[in-house]
Amino acid sequence: MISSDGGLLLPVSLFGDIWPEFGWLSAAVERATGWGGLIIIFIYSFLIAFALPGVSEIVLLAPIDLGLSQTGRLGIIMLVSGAGKAAGSVFAFHLGQEVKQSGPVLQLFQNSWFDLISWSERRTVALAQQWGYAGLAAALSVPGFPDTISIYAFSVLEEDYLKFALATFIGSIGRLIVTVIGVGAVSAFI
């Protein structure tokens, strides 16, 4: 939904309700203001790329006020979040490369015929095998889909740090754009 001042409205308590142990972090993002708020968004995006459960769309709730238009505010948030997630994904990528050294772990991950990994993880692996880095960007553009699943699945299968970070950056920004457009479209009908 869009508020009367043109701001984006999302269900702010969702993250804290689902993962109460991380509610303080979502609350920090929801209260992030000014340049310091951008640092909080970067850190949150970095952590969500490799360690935290949840989704990254919550950064759109940050009441960042840098004297910019609503579009400028959202653009800055998206760029900072994308950079944070790209940095976090490089860390996850490094961990994935370490796991890759363990042949049995990689084979189990790729060839699991039983439900060792969920459908979403299998789908992510299929995207990686078929589309490479473009598949990673596409998987990360899906709102509500946990980032860490895509990032770790791709980190085990791919090898180029720079392409991986770029795909993560593009996918992260794509996801936030899709979210803003989707929320805007829904609010137009309300």
Side-chain angles (χ1 to χ4, degrees):
M1 287 184 281
I2 306 295
S3 68
S4 60
D5 66 348
L8 186 66
L9 298 175
L10 296 172
V12 295
S13 64
L14 179 65
F15 189 73
D17 290 345
I18 296 172
W19 294 284
E21 62 274 16
F22 298 108
W24 64 271
L25 189 54
S26 64
V29 170
E30 292 168 18
R31 290 189 208 106
T33 60
W35 294 104
L38 292 176
I39 293 169
I40 292 170
I41 288 171
F42 182 89
I43 291 169
Y44 175 80
S45 298
F46 178 88
L47 291 173
I48 203 149
F50 75 91
L52 295 179
V55 295
S56 57
E57 294 85 345
I58 196 166
V59 299
L60 296 171
L61 297 173
I64 301 295
D65 183 13
L66 302 173
L68 302 171
S69 68
Q70 179 67 8
T71 303
R73 183 186 80 78
L74 288 174
I76 291 288
I77 289 171
M78 289 177 187
L79 288 173
V80 169
S81 178
K85 199 179 301 176
S89 73
V90 168
F91 183 74
F93 188 80
H94 178 71
L95 294 176
Q97 295 303 305
E98 294 296 320
V99 168
K100 191 188 264 189
Q101 303 304 320
S102 173
V105 173
L106 181 59
Q107 276 194 341
L108 184 65
F109 190 66
Q110 288 178 312
N111 301 324
S112 178
W113 58 269
F114 54 99
D115 196 21
L116 173 65
I117 53 177
S118 69
W119 173 88
S120 58
E121 289 170 317
R122 287 191 307 272
R123 187 67 193 128
T124 300
V125 169
L127 275 171
Q129 291 171 332
Q130 184 174 2
W131 298 100
Y133 296 103
L136 172 59
L140 289 174
S141 293
V142 178
F145 189 74
D147 299 328
T148 49
I149 292 172
S150 298
I151 289 170
Y152 277 110
F154 277 82
S155 72
V156 173
L157 299 171
E158 299 297 337
E159 298 180 358
D160 188 311
Y161 278 85
L162 182 59
K163 288 179 183 176
F164 191 83
L166 185 60
T168 304
F169 180 76
I170 291 168
S172 299
I173 291 176
R175 165 189 228 143
L176 296 174
I177 290 170
V178 168
T179 300
V180 168
I181 291 170
V183 169
V186 168
S187 66
F189 291 107
I190 296 178

